[in-house]
């Protein structure tokens, strides 16, 4: 047999249909033909085909592979989200963005949110919408166009509330009074500026120099509970304090001797104000107090209650007399401030305009304007002659607790829970200076009532401070209270006397220390 024949026989043996393994068992080779389900079932029955049961254990992926897969899924989700954001069309107008947010039931704006952030929030919300019709309907021009037109606030709108005839009469009286006061104020400023006998700058420098010498002169226990407010009488000879006990006490100035105690309210006193004109008789109106019992009460100099101003639905904050003396303004936690007639104790005006509680109200020296500050961090300046809001004091990030007009007629100071005092210019219709005055909230702001050369601030950090109104430099720090200072005032007699009341239940008098040590000229 040749070698070629031998090789062919070996190949045929290797490709044969059967063979024997090392154990002598026969192994068959050939094509597996599946004709249908019966053949598969037969294979399963014969044990040649194995199917996994539902209860079979599944091996978990390794920890590294699992984390890699989750990371990949997150990356894919982020890519899909970016793609959806790019493909989502949203309005460019802020008014349309607000309207769309309102239509889909989302907050129109969030605290501190700007226009670009609001538009990005709308884009993200719409990108997550699964329904394309719902996404289109949320845009202007969609199915909700009529609803947008009804819900969108108008650009400009004058809102009037019908008032009584007495309000019209009060506005007329206020207009006549304010015009006379404004003319007198401007004439005095012009005379002081042009008269060769008066040097305004030298007078300012002397006043500022004097206030740098202010020190504590006396201190007394004012009440068994914390005192919340204080104010000097128009002549400066008496100080009135109001406490959480509901008591109002009158103190002599500068002796700091208690003269009279009045049981003004059952609840705590939150504000107190003197009538702007000296009393003709002891029985005439001299004081008004505000309380947490939702009422304000009018008292004579003898401590007799003459009337009750009742109508607010929330507790009261500060209270102020109009410079004309016929009207009183009260601020309340019912989100309004009211104007009252002193003689009839009737409400002339219930003024809305704040979204949260109104804490303070103040009047312009001429009587033409009023300012209100609320816990919505916004102050508003109102024209008393027309009832319109002519300026919004926007800039504080927390509630406004105190306001005061400068004697110059065009500056307003506001103190806030954000620890700052802001100076506003009515002519420029904006804030001209931010004073980081205290380490805690500012409870009181007061201008020098005579010339406005300096300003007083009091805070819950336990100190009061004097500031120059020219360059806003710190003149003096009045430290001495052991608790937060809740009220302060400047005496109008020009002596520089200052009163402060505190949570530590004391009242303190401060005044310039003019004592100078004698100089020994002897050698």
């Amino acid at each position: 047999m040749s070698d070629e024949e031998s090789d062919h026989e070996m190949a045929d043996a290797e490709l044969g249909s059967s063979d024997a393994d090392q154990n002598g068992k026969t192994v068959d080779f050939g094509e597996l033909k599946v004709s249908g389900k019966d053949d598969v079932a037969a294979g399963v029955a014969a044990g040649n085909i194995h199917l996994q049961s539902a209860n079979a254990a599944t091996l978990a992926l390794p920890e590294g592979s699992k984390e890699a897969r989750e990371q990949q899924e997150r990356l894919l989700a982020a890519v899909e989200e970016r793609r959806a954001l790019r493909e989502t069309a949203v309005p460019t107008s802020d008014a349309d963005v607000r309207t769309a947010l309102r239509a889909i039931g989302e907050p129109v704006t969030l605290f501190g949110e700007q226009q670009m952030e609001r538009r990005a929030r709308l884009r993200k919300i719409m990108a997550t919408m699964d329904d394309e019709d719902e996404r289109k309907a949320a845009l202007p021009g969609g199915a909700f166009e009529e609803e947008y037109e009804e819900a969108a606030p108008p650009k400009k709108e004058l809102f009037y509330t019908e008032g009584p005839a007495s309000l019209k009469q009060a506005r007329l009286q206020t207009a006549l009074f304010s015009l006379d006061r404004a003319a007198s104020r401007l004439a005095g400023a012009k005379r002081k500026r042009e008269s060769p006998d008066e040097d305004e700058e030298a007078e300012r420098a002397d006043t500022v120099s004097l206030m740098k010498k202010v020190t504590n002169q006396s201190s007394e226990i004012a009440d068994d509970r914390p005192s919340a407010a204080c104010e000097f009488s128009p002549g400066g000879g008496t100080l009135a304090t109001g406490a959480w006990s509901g008591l109002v006490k009158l103190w002599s100035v500068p002796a700091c001797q208690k003269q009279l105690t009045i049981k003004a309210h059952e609840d705590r006193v939150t504000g107190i104000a003197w009538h702007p004109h000296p009393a003709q008789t002891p029985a005439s109106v001299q004081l008004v107090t505000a309380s947490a019992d939702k009422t304000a009460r009018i008292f004579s100099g003898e401590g007799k209650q003459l009337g009750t101003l009742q109508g607010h639905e929330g507790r009261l904050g500060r209270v102020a007399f109009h410079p004309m003396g016929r009207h009183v303004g009260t601020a309340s936690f019912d989100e309004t401030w009211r104007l009252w007639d002193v003689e009839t104790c009737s409400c002339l005006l219930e003024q809305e305009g704040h979204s949260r509680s109104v804490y303070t109200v103040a009047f312009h020296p001429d009587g033409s304007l009023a300012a209100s500050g609320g816990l919505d961090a916004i102050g508003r300046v109102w024209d008393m002659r027309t009832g319109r809001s002519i300026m919004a004091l926007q800039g504080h990030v927390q509630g406004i607790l105190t306001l005061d007009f400068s004697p110059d007629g065009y500056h307003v100071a506001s103190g806030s829970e954000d620890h700052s005092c802001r100076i506003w210019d009515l002519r420029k219709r904006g804030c001209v200076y931010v004073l980081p005055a205290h380490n805690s909230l500012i409870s009181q702001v007061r201008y020098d009532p005579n010339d406005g050369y300096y300003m007083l601030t009091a805070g819950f950090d336990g100190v009061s401070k004097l500031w120059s109104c020219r360059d806003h430099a710190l003149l003096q720090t009045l430290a001495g209270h052991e608790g937060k200072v809740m009220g302060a005032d400047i005496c109008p007699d020009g002596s520089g006397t200052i009163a402060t009341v505190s949570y530590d239940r004391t009242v303190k008098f401060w005044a310039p220390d003019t004592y100078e040590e004698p100089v020994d000229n002897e050698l």
Side-chain angles (χ1 to χ4, degrees):
M1 183 179 293
S2 65
D3 293 340
E4 293 181 359
E5 294 176 351
S6 161
D7 292 339
H8 285 297
E9 290 178 357
M10 292 176 63
D12 293 339
E14 291 178 357
L15 296 175
S17 61
S18 62
D19 197 359
D21 61 3
Q22 296 179 356
N23 298 328
K25 295 182 179 180
T26 300
V27 179
D28 295 327
F29 295 92
E31 182 181 0
L32 180 61
K33 296 181 179 180
V34 180
S35 59
K37 296 183 179 179
D38 294 338
D39 295 335
V40 176
V44 173
N48 297 325
I49 300 176
H50 297 280
L51 298 178
Q52 184 177 3
S53 64
N55 298 326
T58 302
L59 295 177
L61 290 173
E63 191 67 26
S65 300
K66 184 178 180 180
E67 292 179 357
R69 188 178 67 178
E70 291 177 351
Q71 182 179 3
Q72 184 180 8
E73 291 176 354
R74 289 195 296 269
L75 292 176
L76 290 175
V79 171
E80 285 295 320
E81 183 179 358
R82 289 196 294 269
R83 182 189 62 79
L85 289 175
R86 287 195 302 268
E87 296 178 354
T88 302
V90 296
T92 56
S93 171
D94 186 60
D96 292 340
V97 171
R98 291 172 178 267
T99 304
L101 288 170
R102 184 182 295 109
I104 61 180
E106 293 292 332
V108 174
T109 184
L110 302 179
F111 180 77
E113 188 178 52
Q114 302 299 321
Q115 295 183 7
M116 294 181 60
E117 298 169 341
R118 189 179 301 112
R119 186 168 182 263
R121 178 163 62 91
L122 175 62
R123 183 190 296 273
K124 189 172 183 180
I125 294 173
M126 294 184 63
T128 58
M129 291 182 177
D130 297 330
D131 190 352
E132 184 67 21
D133 295 336
E134 182 182 358
R135 185 184 298 118
K136 291 181 179 179
L139 295 175
F144 297 102
E145 184 175 3
E146 296 182 359
E147 180 181 348
Y148 291 158
E149 294 177 357
E150 295 178 359
K155 298 295 183 180
K156 292 183 179 180
E157 179 183 0
L158 293 178
F159 181 77
Y160 295 98
T161 301
E162 185 177 356
S166 55
L167 176 60
K168 181 179 180 180
Q169 183 65 25
R171 292 200 190 283
L172 179 60
Q173 295 173 353
T174 301
L176 297 175
F177 175 82
S178 63
L179 290 174
D180 291 340
R181 289 285 291 260
S184 176
R185 173 175 57 82
L186 293 175
K190 183 178 181 180
R191 182 179 61 255
K192 181 180 293 188
R193 183 176 62 254
E194 297 178 352
S195 175
D197 298 331
E198 296 188 19
D199 189 344
E200 184 177 359
E201 291 301 323
E203 183 180 351
R204 181 188 298 272
D206 292 342
T207 302
V208 168
S209 176
L210 183 66
M211 299 313 295
K212 290 182 179 180
K213 302 177 182 179
V214 172
T215 60
N216 182 229
Q217 302 295 327
S218 59
S219 178
E220 291 289 342
I221 299 296
D223 201 273
D224 295 334
R225 300 204 64 196
S227 296
C230 68
E231 185 168 314
F232 283 100
S233 63
T238 306
L239 176 76
T241 61
W244 284 7
S245 62
L247 297 179
V248 172
K249 297 183 179 181
L250 304 184
W251 306 81
S252 62
V253 181
C256 197
Q257 298 293 325
K258 184 169 61 177
Q259 297 177 330
L260 182 64
T261 300
I262 306 171
K263 181 59 177 177
H265 298 270
E266 296 297 329
D267 208 335
R268 59 186 182 275
V269 175
T270 58
I272 192 168
W274 283 89
H275 194 281
H277 308 305
Q280 301 296 328
T281 63
S284 58
V285 175
Q286 289 198 28
L287 279 172
V288 62
T289 60
S291 172
D293 61 8
K294 305 179 184 179
T295 66
R297 296 179 180 178
I298 301 173
F299 294 91
S300 67
E302 299 173 337
K304 181 181 179 181
Q305 182 177 336
L306 303 179
T308 300
L309 310 179
Q310 189 169 2
H312 279 292
E313 298 178 358
R315 67 185 181 94
L316 270 59
R318 300 301 188 185
V319 63
F321 260 106
H322 188 272
M324 189 166 51
R326 299 180 182 179
H327 307 114
V328 169
T330 56
S332 172
F333 276 59
D334 61 7
E335 301 180 4
T336 68
W337 69 272
R338 297 195 180 201
L339 186 70
W340 306 82
D341 187 288
V342 174
E343 184 177 355
T344 63
C345 294
S346 60
C347 178
L348 301 177
L349 172 67
E350 181 181 2
Q351 183 63 65
E352 300 176 341
H354 291 270
S355 60
R356 296 187 64 185
S357 304
V358 183
Y359 194 83
T360 183
V361 62
F363 291 103
H364 191 278
D366 298 342
S368 57
L369 305 175
S372 61
L375 301 187
D376 54 2
I378 294 178
R380 291 193 178 276
V381 180
W382 308 86
D383 190 334
M384 294 294 296
R385 299 159 294 188
T386 63
R388 293 185 179 182
S389 174
I390 62 172
M391 180 178 173
L393 311 180
Q394 292 181 308
H396 286 290
V397 296
Q398 293 188 32
I400 297 177
L401 304 179
T402 176
L403 291 163
D404 195 30
F405 284 92
S406 171
D408 62 18
Y410 53 85
H411 281 130
V412 183
S414 61
S416 169
E417 290 180 290
D418 61 10
H419 308 177
S420 70
C421 172
R422 286 179 176 260
I423 311 300
W424 310 83
D425 194 320
L426 299 180
R427 303 168 302 178
K428 299 180 180 180
R429 301 180 63 84
C431 179
V432 294
Y433 198 84
V434 180
L435 199 63
H438 292 265
N439 297 325
S440 186
L441 65 84
I442 297 179
S443 58
Q444 196 77 64
V445 171
R446 281 284 187 266
Y447 274 104
D448 167 24
N450 296 300
D451 301 301
Y453 292 152
Y454 63 93
M455 183 176 63
L456 169 69
T457 63
F460 271 24
D461 53 1
V463 299
S464 301
K465 296 181 180 181
L466 295 172
W467 308 85
S468 170
C469 290
R470 169 60 63 85
D471 55 5
H472 303 101
L474 178 63
L475 303 179
Q476 185 65 288
T477 299
L478 312 181
H481 283 290
E482 298 178 359
K484 44 197 175 187
V485 181
M486 305 179 69
D489 196 22
I490 301 175
C491 188
D493 63 0
S495 63
T497 302
I498 295 169
T500 57
V501 292
S502 169
Y503 192 82
D504 62 10
R505 303 173 299 161
T506 64
V507 53
K508 294 183 183 294
F509 281 175
W510 313 77
D513 189 357
T514 57
Y515 174 76
E516 297 181 0
E517 295 184 0
V519 178
D520 189 2
N521 295 325
E522 297 181 1
L523 296 178

